[in-house]
Amino acid sequence: MLKKRVIVCLDVKDGRTTKGVKFLNNVDIGDPVEMAAEYYRQGVDELVFYDIIASARGRGPILDLISRVASQVFIPFCVGGGIGTIDDIKDTILAGAEKVSLNSQAVKHPELISQGARIFGNQCIVLGMDAKADPGFKSGYQVYINGGRVATGLDALEWAEKAVSLGAGEIVLNSMDADGTRAGYELNLTRMIADAVPVPVVASGGGGTVEHMAQVLRGGPDGGHADAALIASMVHSGDYTVGGIKKDLCRMEIPVRF
């Protein structure tokens, strides 16, 4: 059985790690370089670094900070935020990232997915998707960009399928309704996308307990069918460690890497 991954997300604003609830009221919680090193020591499988204001401000990735984080971790490292050109992708990978997450820029320039996949390989191109419940859409969810500030008019399921057809090798699927709430992942949304695409889907938004993680990682009618669970508040708060989470998941018969 394929092992499930535990991924920690660092949302970065002005060079500092930040955390909000439903994309609002962000507070400073620490230095991303120090935090990355600590989660690596705890045994995290992957690290995701999002510059949450780069696209809104119309600037590229912070390469110096990316390089400093990459120097502390020897696991897959994905970077998102402000990556809008092939040169941005190349520079980010050269700075130490294994993967780039395309979110706002993928919606604005879908050809960036196909060009990036062709040049760097599908495994390097991750679709970051922020989705919010909206009954006006066929799937029941609409895609948002620019840090959740701008509605796109795109149906979440249709966009996921299109992005994968263009070459995205993975999807990090964030529920805006659940983001930062620690009330549980959006299982319906995650299951729908995971069942529809042939690439790994990472569940994001709402993780508050190990039970939530186990639920979103499980198969079956009540599970989320995700390949990995992304967490932030759970470990940033100090309530959990990555190692402790993995031991608990193992006890719940979720296969994880040690």
Side-chain angles (χ1 to χ4, degrees):
M1 186 181 285
L2 283 175
K3 304 279 198 219
K4 301 292 188 176
R5 290 171 287 150
V6 175
I7 302 174
V8 169
C9 178
L10 301 175
D11 285 335
V12 177
K13 179 181 179 183
D14 297 325
R16 298 284 293 176
T17 308
T18 183
K19 197 71 196 92
V21 176
K22 298 186 181 182
F23 286 52
L24 299 170
N25 305 318
N26 285 73
V27 294
D28 184 312
I29 56 171
D31 176 77
V33 180
E34 292 173 4
M35 293 175 74
E38 174 57 27
Y39 295 134
Y40 175 65
R41 280 193 292 272
Q42 289 182 19
V44 73
D45 295 312
E46 296 187 23
L47 199 67
V48 174
F49 172 111
Y50 286 134
D51 186 330
I52 62 170
I53 55 172
S55 289
R57 289 184 177 174
R59 63 159 170 74
I62 311 172
L63 298 174
D64 171 61
L65 187 56
I66 292 165
S67 178
R68 286 164 52 215
V69 171
S71 72
Q72 298 297 313
V73 299
F74 303 93
I75 49 173
F77 174 37
C78 179
V79 173
I83 299 171
T85 67
I86 290 297
D87 281 343
D88 287 338
I89 296 175
K90 181 182 76 174
D91 291 344
T92 301
I93 291 171
L94 288 174
E98 279 77 25
K99 307 176 187 179
V100 295
S101 176
L102 305 176
N103 188 324
S104 304
Q105 297 301 329
V107 169
K108 295 170 187 174
H109 306 288
E111 69 279 3
L112 191 60
I113 299 173
S114 50
Q115 290 171 2
R118 189 177 69 250
I119 295 168
F120 303 102
N122 301 65
Q123 77 285 350
C124 287
I125 306 300
V126 177
L127 177 74
M129 181 162 63
D130 296 318
K132 191 173 186 180
D134 189 326
F137 287 78
K138 187 177 175 183
S139 70
Y141 299 88
Q142 181 180 188
V143 176
Y144 282 70
I145 59 171
N146 286 10
R149 297 172 186 85
V150 178
T152 64
L154 289 173
D155 179 88
L157 179 58
E158 290 175 2
W159 174 230
E161 291 175 327
K162 180 180 178 182
V164 170
S165 74
L166 288 170
E170 185 171 76
I171 296 175
V172 174
L173 175 62
N174 188 51
S175 164
M176 291 177 63
D177 300 299
D179 181 79
T181 63
R182 299 183 67 175
Y185 294 90
E186 230 285 25
L187 296 175
N188 178 62
L189 171 65
T190 309
R191 183 169 54 240
M192 175 178 63
I193 302 292
D195 289 351
V197 297
V199 301
V201 171
V202 180
S204 172
T209 67
V210 182
E211 287 77 11
H212 293 154
M213 296 175 69
Q215 195 172 20
V216 84
L217 292 168
R218 280 196 187 107
D222 299 324
H225 302 190
D227 297 271
L230 187 146
I231 53 176
S233 303
M234 281 177 68
V235 285
H236 295 342
S237 65
D239 293 344
Y240 293 88
T241 64
V242 174
I245 287 168
K246 286 188 172 185
K247 285 176 185 171
D248 289 343
L249 286 172
C250 197
R251 280 195 284 269
M252 295 175 189
E253 300 184 342
I254 303 294
V256 292
R257 293 188 186 96
F258 281 100

